[in-house]
Amino acid sequence: MKNASVHQVSRRGFVAGLLASAASPALADVPAVSLRPRIRGAKPVEPSGFESLLREARVSGNVVFAVADAETGDVLEGHNAATGLAPASVTKSITALYALDTLGPAHRFATTVVAAGPVTEGVLDGDLVLVGGCDPTLDTRALADLAAQLKEAGLREVRGRFLVFENALRPLRSIDPEQPDHLGYSPAVSGIALNYNRVHFEWKREASKYKVTMDARTAGFRPEVQMARMQVVERSVPVYTYEDQGTYDQWTVAKGALGKEGARWLPVRHPGLYAGDVFATLARSHGILLKSPTLVEEMPDGTQQAEVHSPPLREILQGMLKYSNNLTAEMVGQAATRVRAGRAHTLAASARQMNLWAIETLGMENPAFVDHSGLGGLSRVSPRDMVRGLAAVHGDAVLRPILKPVTLRDTKGRPVKNHPVKVDAKTGTLNFVSGLAGYITAPDGREMVFAIFCSNEEIRATIPRAHRERPEGARPWASRARRLQSQLLMRWGKMFQSS
């Protein structure tokens, strides 16, 4: 396991590692001369012109940005570019680079089933252990595959306990405890995750009552669960309440908010028990009866009976960047830290390792991420620093191919089809926070890197926890911020052409 103080890798080493086998972290000797482009002082641009865009955008709070030549690192234009603001999900672009460098693009996470005891004529005289391997993509279908493998191996009886090991990552009940309990984008985090640690709640009115189900559905499977329970209560607000009952999640929902029928994904707060609950149901369908799942902190010795693997890491990260999945970011980020420096006890501790890596490897000066997803509003990074990080890997085609193309929009927010300026970037959105960072290709082919962050911390500080799902004014503010981002990108693509 590599110590943070010696885990230094150049950009050339970074790329070499990405092309090498995923069996070990990508490491290389540090050359005498840095190969990263140097971010130099902004060149004067006449006329500047962006001031009018800022005035017309009417985005309250702070707006900061920087754009630089991707090859030379020369800053072409900036506005308060050294000011750090909350990057929101733009953080995930750095997390992707961190995970690729540490684990390798071909790395696959494994979820296994282990027999802690002898198996004789299909009977396990000991405990059966479901072992989480940090796979953020594990779904019910994969657990069904594991159960089928046990049957194919001839297992028919387990005399001991049914254990779940989720401690490859330290279990945390929520990515951001400041978010309302019912929001699916802030589930629990641990070394095992099923269906992105979300349970499917569905309701349908039958006469004066409601029929409700809580299940772990995925394509072809819909097992009901016992560890997440829902009660319909006669009230109008709050819509949801949550209580941790130790071995299960207890939810209530306001009857007045349900209507005739509907469905919603709710977060799971006990991921190990959730996965164990579903796996026991699937094993039972093959005639293998398991006791109620019990969490185990230390992994017992045993022999592997079944195994499933995730897609390659690069594919996982491309999906993470496209759909901005917070759980994926936190799991792959912590998995990288586990290899680099050992298991982190908090998201912030893991993020500190990523900050150190970004300084050593990408040439960033003062990144201050507090998690790997950007959901925590206390993260800070400046546009200038973000541009440094993106420029460091530009020539290697590591990040841009897995970023999502950005549709540029006019001053009224309408998409501009076939715009000659091409942009691939990562968006970031929190309440009254909007970020965008990535790569621009001008019509003449010149390539640039950019970062734009908008934030109104004054308004954010006034939003009660219960109202953070859809606070008043957040949507129109975000729309204005996105229009400003498009206007800046179109301006830069036209203004900073080589010719």
Side-chain angles (χ1 to χ4, degrees):
M1 205 168 291
K2 304 293 186 293
N3 183 279
S5 63
V6 297
H7 188 90
Q8 295 187 354
V9 55
S10 69
R11 184 167 67 91
R12 179 178 293 168
F14 182 13
V15 179
L18 294 181
L19 298 176
S21 167
S24 61
L27 298 174
D29 293 333
V30 179
V33 178
S34 172
L35 300 175
R36 294 187 293 267
R38 299 181 181 276
I39 304 298
R40 290 183 271 270
K43 295 181 178 179
V45 177
E46 294 296 341
S48 71
F50 67 78
E51 292 89 349
S52 62
L53 293 180
L54 297 181
R55 287 194 301 270
E56 293 166 5
R58 296 181 295 107
V59 177
S60 62
N62 292 318
V63 177
V64 298
F65 59 76
V67 60
D69 182 273
E71 296 295 331
T72 67
D74 287 336
V75 173
L76 304 173
E77 185 168 81
H79 177 62
N80 294 331
T83 300
L85 295 183
S89 286
V90 172
T91 303
K92 293 182 177 74
S93 58
I94 301 300
T95 298
L97 292 172
Y98 179 53
L100 285 169
D101 184 29
T102 307
L103 303 173
H107 179 80
R108 293 175 184 262
F109 300 99
T111 305
T112 59
V113 179
V114 170
V119 180
T120 305
E121 296 182 350
V123 178
L124 169 57
D125 188 14
D127 300 330
L128 191 72
V129 190
L130 176 63
V131 182
C134 307
D135 179 6
T137 67
L138 184 74
D139 61 10
T140 301
R141 179 178 291 276
L143 287 188
D145 187 5
L146 282 175
Q149 288 181 44
L150 291 183
K151 181 182 179 181
E152 292 169 5
L155 186 69
R156 57 184 177 82
E157 182 180 350
V158 177
R159 291 180 175 172
R161 299 169 297 172
F162 172 40
L163 306 177
V164 180
F165 177 73
E166 63 175 356
N167 278 25
L169 304 178
R170 184 174 182 270
L172 303 168
R173 291 290 173 252
S174 178
I175 295 174
D176 179 13
E178 295 302 314
Q179 299 295 327
D181 291 324
H182 65 278
L183 296 184
Y185 56 71
S186 187
V189 185
S190 78
I192 194 166
L194 177 64
N195 302 329
Y196 298 105
N197 283 342
R198 298 179 305 169
V199 62
H200 191 262
F201 163 47
E202 187 171 12
W203 65 90
K204 186 174 183 179
R205 188 165 58 202
E206 296 180 348
S208 61
K209 296 183 179 180
Y210 280 93
K211 178 183 179 182
V212 301
T213 58
M214 301 285 272
D215 62 64
R217 67 178 57 190
T218 192
F221 297 90
R222 190 176 172 175
E224 292 194 18
V225 301
Q226 297 300 314
M227 61 71 55
R229 306 175 188 182
M230 179 63 72
Q231 180 182 2
V232 180
V233 177
E234 288 280 1
R235 66 168 187 261
S236 297
V237 291
V239 177
Y240 293 98
T241 68
Y242 168 79
E243 288 186 6
D244 184 345
Q245 295 296 332
T247 58
Y248 64 93
D249 294 333
Q250 179 63 64
W251 296 92
T252 72
V253 63
K255 184 177 181 180
L258 290 181
K260 183 178 180 181
E261 61 183 16
R264 173 171 186 149
W265 289 96
L266 291 171
V268 166
R269 301 297 176 203
H270 294 275
L273 295 178
Y274 177 47
D277 183 357
V278 175
F279 183 74
T281 298
L282 297 168
R284 188 166 57 249
S285 71
H286 292 292
I288 305 170
L289 298 181
L290 301 176
K291 296 181 174 64
S292 297
T294 301
L295 300 179
V296 59
E297 292 189 3
E298 299 293 333
M299 180 60 204
D301 294 330
T303 57
Q304 183 173 301
Q305 304 295 305
E307 183 178 40
V308 292
H309 291 90
S310 73
L313 179 62
R314 186 183 186 279
E315 184 178 328
I316 292 174
L317 294 174
Q318 187 166 22
M320 176 194 77
L321 293 168
K322 180 178 180 180
Y323 298 108
S324 206
N325 186 275
N326 293 326
L327 181 64
T328 299
E330 300 301 350
M331 290 186 72
V332 299
Q334 287 191 88
T337 293
R338 187 168 178 257
V339 170
R340 174 180 165 91
R343 192 186 75 160
H345 288 281
T346 65
L347 295 182
S350 184
R352 282 195 293 273
Q353 289 297 322
M354 186 171 77
N355 293 335
L356 291 172
W357 173 88
I359 292 168
E360 297 164 0
T361 308
L362 303 181
M364 298 176 72
E365 290 187 342
N366 190 32
F369 301 109
V370 300
D371 57 25
H372 298 288
S373 65
L375 186 57
L378 296 180
S379 287
R380 295 291 182 270
V381 68
S382 70
R384 187 172 64 186
D385 234 5
M386 197 71 202
V387 163
R388 279 193 178 91
L390 298 178
V393 297
H394 160 70
D396 311 323
V398 173
L399 182 62
R400 187 167 189 175
I402 62 174
L403 287 173
K404 186 178 178 180
V406 173
T407 300
L408 298 177
R409 298 178 180 274
D410 64 19
T411 55
K412 295 184 177 180
R414 298 171 299 195
V416 181
K417 296 182 179 180
N418 301 316
H419 197 283
V421 177
K422 304 302 179 185
V423 179
D424 299 293
K426 181 69 192 79
T427 59
T429 304
L430 295 171
N431 292 327
F432 295 95
V433 171
S434 181
L436 189 68
Y439 301 91
I440 310 170
T441 300
D444 70 345
R446 184 181 190 179
E447 296 189 342
M448 293 168 273
V449 291
F450 75 94
I452 309 168
F453 299 129
C454 309
S455 176
N456 192 322
E457 292 295 333
E458 185 176 348
I459 295 179
R460 277 178 57 80
T462 67
I463 304 172
R465 182 174 184 266
H467 297 166
R468 289 178 185 173
E469 185 172 11
R470 295 186 184 91
E472 184 179 355
R475 183 170 294 181
W477 184 94
S479 295
R480 292 193 296 272
R482 287 192 293 269
R483 285 198 295 270
L484 171 62
Q485 291 160 4
S486 281
Q487 293 300 302
L488 288 169
L489 291 169
M490 289 187 285
R491 177 177 181 275
W492 293 334
K494 178 180 179 181
M495 190 170 189
F496 296 121
Q497 297 185 72
S498 300
S499 55

